[in-house]
Amino acid sequence: MNGPDVGEVQRLVVALGLAAARSDTASMADVLAGVDPDTAGSVVLGLAHAWVGALDAVMERDGEQDPRAVTLALLQEQALEVATV
């Protein structure tokens, strides 16, 4: 069984990022229109990895000795906060 095309997933992730940076929700919806569930799942994973990588980069830029530990702490705090909503 073949999974989603890696190139397609990468193009979707970048297109969604560009649309989000422009606050263009209509374009984001257009990008996702007709995307099969397996590819959509891969896009979500790609976006999650990019998000964590961006947090790590900010923590590293800010001089944190263990950027991933700080990222994990921030995300755990957020997870607790949304779990109580």
Side-chain angles (χ1 to χ4, degrees), residues 8-9 12-13 16 32 35 38-48:
E8 178 185 9
V9 170
L12 290 168
V13 167
L16 286 170
L32 292 173
V35 173
D38 287 341
T39 300
S42 293
V43 168
V44 169
L45 293 175
L47 291 169

Side-chain angles (χ1 to χ4, degrees), residues 12-35 43 47:
L12 290 168
V13 167
V14 171
L16 286 170
L18 286 170
R22 295 179 180 128
S23 298
D24 187 351
T25 54
S27 289
M28 293 174 77
D30 289 343
V31 167
L32 292 173
V35 173
V43 168
L47 291 169

